[in-house]
Amino acid sequence: MASQSWSVYYANSKVLVPTRVETTAGVGMSVDPMEIVDADNTAGLKRTILTTIAKSNPIVPHPNQDEMSQPITIHKKLDFKSYRAFNNTAMLWHVRNINNLYEIEFTKVPENRRGYVPDLSKTITFPQGTTVEIVVDKLIEIIQQAHHQKIVEET
């Protein structure tokens, strides 16, 4: 395996783990099925993330223009009325495995409030040979810390 990536979103005390595909044009996309797990459910998160990783990154035909112009609906999975509200609230992490070198990249919402950009100051790069289980455990730890911090901020 030369390269693999996937994404995990957190919002409203839930974690959204989408299946990741790569198109024939080389574009990575998050697609259904998308699994949702409570942020406090450590065993459920680990099982869901590892299962999603195992089925992610197949090569699929590149969508045509009509398919690419479909409205974004990922926000509805976590009960947001609009993508803008989701984008302003959700946290997003990308995990990459390039030649068995894993990296967790935290993203942030830029000043223009459109999409996400990498927050390189929070990127974690693991030593060569680190297992996917160790990477997933660290990702879950990060998600749960963010979740508990959010709870404290809201009280």
Side-chain angles (χ1 to χ4, degrees):
M1 166 190 357
S3 175
Q4 183 183 38
S5 68
W6 64 96
S7 302
V8 177
Y9 296 86
Y10 165 80
N12 291 346
S13 300
K14 304 281 185 199
V15 178
L16 177 70
V17 186
T19 299
R20 183 91 172 160
V21 298
E22 182 103 5
T23 72
T24 50
V27 176
M29 298 174 61
S30 295
V31 299
D32 282 317
M34 296 187 186
E35 304 297 331
I36 298 172
V37 183
D38 288 330
D40 282 325
N41 183 350
T42 303
L45 281 170
K46 187 167 187 171
R47 182 176 50 257
T48 300
I49 293 169
L50 287 172
T51 300
T52 301
I53 291 168
K55 66 182 177 184
S56 282
N57 292 273
I59 306 293
V60 299
H62 191 73
N64 64 38
Q65 197 64 23
D66 288 339
E67 294 167 326
M68 289 295 282
S69 65
Q70 294 298 314
I72 298 170
T73 60
I74 195 169
H75 61 280
K76 294 178 181 178
K77 306 272 184 196
L78 293 174
D79 300 324
F80 284 88
K81 293 182 192 270
S82 70
Y83 181 74
R84 179 181 294 261
F86 172 77
N87 186 65
N88 289 337
T89 302
M91 295 178 174
L92 168 62
W93 293 268
H94 295 296
V95 182
R96 291 183 185 81
N97 175 7
I98 301 172
N99 296 321
N100 206 27
L101 184 66
Y102 286 95
E103 177 180 272
I104 298 175
E105 176 186 88
F106 182 78
T107 63
K108 60 185 176 182
V109 177
E111 289 182 25
N112 69 6
R113 310 303 283 172
R114 293 179 168 263
Y116 298 91
V117 296
D119 183 346
L120 299 178
S121 69
K122 294 183 180 178
T123 297
I124 299 170
T125 302
F126 293 85
Q128 186 79 29
T130 301
T131 65
V132 68
E133 289 82 7
I134 290 172
V135 175
V136 169
D137 287 344
K138 183 63 177 176
L139 177 61
I140 291 169
E141 177 186 320
I142 293 166
I143 292 167
Q144 289 178 335
Q145 284 175 349
H147 170 61
H148 292 124
Q149 181 177 343
K150 188 82 167 160
I151 291 171
V152 169
E153 289 172 2
E154 292 175 352
T155 57

